[in-house]
Amino acid sequence: MAVIKYSRQREAIKEYLSQTKEHPTADTIYMNIRESYPNISLGTVYRNLNLLVEMGEVLRINGMDGSDRYDGHTQQHYHFLCNKCHKILDLEMESIDHINDTANKDFPGKVEGHVTYFYGKCNECK
Amino acid sequence: MAVIKYSRQREAIKEYLSQTKEHPTADTIYMNIRESYPNISLGTVYRNLNLLVEMGEVLRINGMDGSDRYDGHTQQHYHFLCNKCHKILDLEMESIDHINDTANKDFPGKVEGHVTYFYGKCNECK
DNA sequence: ACTGTATATAATAATAACTACTATTATTTT
DNA sequence: AAAATAATAGTAGTTATTATTATATACAGT
C-alpha cells in the first residue's frame, strides 16, 4: 500500500468532517456517509479515518466513554467537556504549549506533546 | 447494592495498586492477584476497579492503546505515555493549574478543571 | 453462635469498538 | 485499453469490558 489512491468514500468522510462542528464517533460518521453511499462498509470508515489521522487531516479525540471521536478541524484548539450534558465544545484560547517545557524540565525521556481537555459546566448548564 | 461489604479480593486489589509504581491494566492486575487468589475472576477485578474509582481510592487513566490503566496513588500528579512501548510513567513537575484561568478567559461557561497527559519517548525508547 | 438477608464471587456468556481477511471493484500506470 | 495496484464491501475475528446467574460470603438481628 505504497501509493494512496483517490476514493470517493474517503472524500465524503473528509467532506462530512469538515462541515460538522460536532465531534462524531466512527459509527455516527458511518451512519451519515451511508445516506450518500448506502453500502459503504464500517471497515472502510475506520480504515480511512486512520489514514486521515495519520496524514494529519483529521484529529482523533479519545472520548472518555470508550469510543474515539473525530474532528476535521485541524488547527490547534482545545476541547471542553460539559460535566452535565456531556457535550464537547471547542475552546478558543491562547496556546498553552509552554507546558511541554515545564514537563520536560526534569524528565529523562523526551516529551513531544500533550493532550489536554477542560471540563466544567457549559453556558446552558451552569 | 446499597451497603458495600468487605471482600478480601477488593482489599488485595487495593493493596497491590498502592504498592506498585506501574500503571497496570485490569488484566495485569488480574494476573497478579491470581498469585494469592488463584481463582479470582476477571469480572471481579473489573467490578472492584470500578467501585474503587467511584469511591475515589483509585485513578483510571485511559491509555492510548485501547485499554485503561489504574493508579493507586491519588495525590495530584501528571502522567507521561510512551508512544513506543506504551508505558505510563509519573511526571514530577510544577503545577500547571494556571491553564484553567487561560481557558476560562473567553469562555461563556465555567471551566472547573482539566485533564492533561504528556506523550513522547521514554528514556529507554528515545 | 444461629439464622436470614443482602452483597460479592466465580464462571461464563454477551456486547461494543475496532481490526483482519478475501474476493471483487475502482483508480492509476503504461 | 490492458496491466498493475490499491480500495472497497462484506464478513469473520479480536480485545477490552460488562451482564448474567447460581453459589458463597459477610454481617445484622436475635
Side-chain angles (χ1 to χ4, degrees):
Chain A
M1 246 191 258
V3 176
I4 288 170
K5 291 185 178 173
Y6 172 90
S7 104
R8 45 194 104 180
Q9 291 88 337
R10 178 159 58 239
E11 234 26 60
I13 291 169
K14 229 165 85 178
E15 171 67 7
Y16 171 67
L17 279 176
S18 72
Q19 277 184 351
T20 184
K21 293 203 167 182
E22 319 268 319
H23 301 78
T25 61
D27 203 66
T28 305
I29 296 165
Y30 172 59
M31 293 309 194
N32 274 276
I33 305 296
R34 245 149 86 100
E35 285 171 26
S36 17
Y37 294 90
N39 48 1
I40 192 174
S41 162
L42 186 55
T44 297
V45 173
Y46 273 106
R47 185 167 28 71
N48 281 305
L49 283 172
N50 286 335
L51 250 172
L52 290 167
V53 168
E54 218 171 294
M55 301 191 298
E57 301 196 32
V58 162
L59 295 177
R60 196 199 317 271
I61 315 167
N62 31 1
M64 53 196 66
D65 60 333
S67 58
D68 288 347
R69 285 159 180 280
Y70 297 88
D71 188 336
H73 304 89
T74 52
Q75 335 78 309
Q76 159 70 333
H77 64 283
Y78 291 93
H79 289 116
F80 174 86
L81 283 75
C82 181
N83 276 337
K84 207 168 172 194
C85 67
H86 297 132
K87 217 180 298 170
I88 298 186
L89 300 167
D90 290 336
L91 272 179
E92 285 178 30
M93 59 182 279
E94 54 192 81
S95 165
I96 54 167
D97 276 357
H98 65 275
I99 66 173
N100 290 342
D101 304 332
T102 312
N104 245 323
K105 234 175 183 177
D106 292 312
F107 184 62
K110 177 105 193 299
V111 173
E112 290 167 355
H114 67 269
V115 173
T116 295
Y117 62 82
F118 296 87
Y119 58 86
K121 302 265 186 314
C122 75
N123 201 19
E124 287 96 57
C125 293
K126 81 169 175 195
Chain B
M1 246 193 259
V3 175
I4 288 170
K5 289 187 178 173
Y6 173 90
S7 103
R8 46 195 104 181
Q9 290 90 337
R10 185 187 313 123
E11 238 22 63
I13 292 169
K14 230 166 85 178
E15 171 67 9
Y16 170 68
L17 280 175
S18 71
Q19 277 184 349
T20 184
K21 292 204 168 182
E22 319 268 319
H23 301 79
T25 61
D27 204 66
T28 305
I29 296 165
Y30 172 59
M31 293 309 193
N32 274 275
I33 305 295
R34 247 149 84 100
E35 286 171 24
S36 18
Y37 293 90
N39 50 0
I40 191 175
S41 162
L42 186 55
T44 297
V45 172
Y46 273 107
R47 186 167 29 70
N48 281 305
L49 283 172
N50 285 336
L51 250 172
L52 290 167
V53 168
E54 218 171 294
M55 299 192 299
E57 301 198 32
V58 162
L59 296 176
R60 195 199 320 270
I61 315 166
N62 31 4
M64 52 183 65
D65 61 332
S67 57
D68 287 347
R69 286 158 181 279
Y70 296 87
D71 189 337
H73 304 90
T74 51
Q75 335 78 311
Q76 157 72 335
H77 63 283
Y78 289 95
H79 289 116
F80 174 86
L81 283 75
C82 180
N83 275 336
K84 208 168 174 194
C85 67
H86 294 141
K87 214 181 301 172
I88 298 187
L89 300 167
D90 288 337
L91 274 177
E92 286 179 29
M93 58 183 280
E94 53 193 82
S95 166
I96 55 168
D97 276 358
H98 65 274
I99 67 174
N100 289 342
D101 304 333
T102 312
N104 247 323
K105 235 176 180 177
D106 292 313
F107 184 63
K110 177 107 194 297
V111 174
E112 290 167 356
H114 67 268
V115 173
T116 295
Y117 63 81
F118 296 87
Y119 58 86
K121 303 264 186 315
C122 76
N123 203 19
E124 286 95 57
C125 291
K126 81 169 175 196

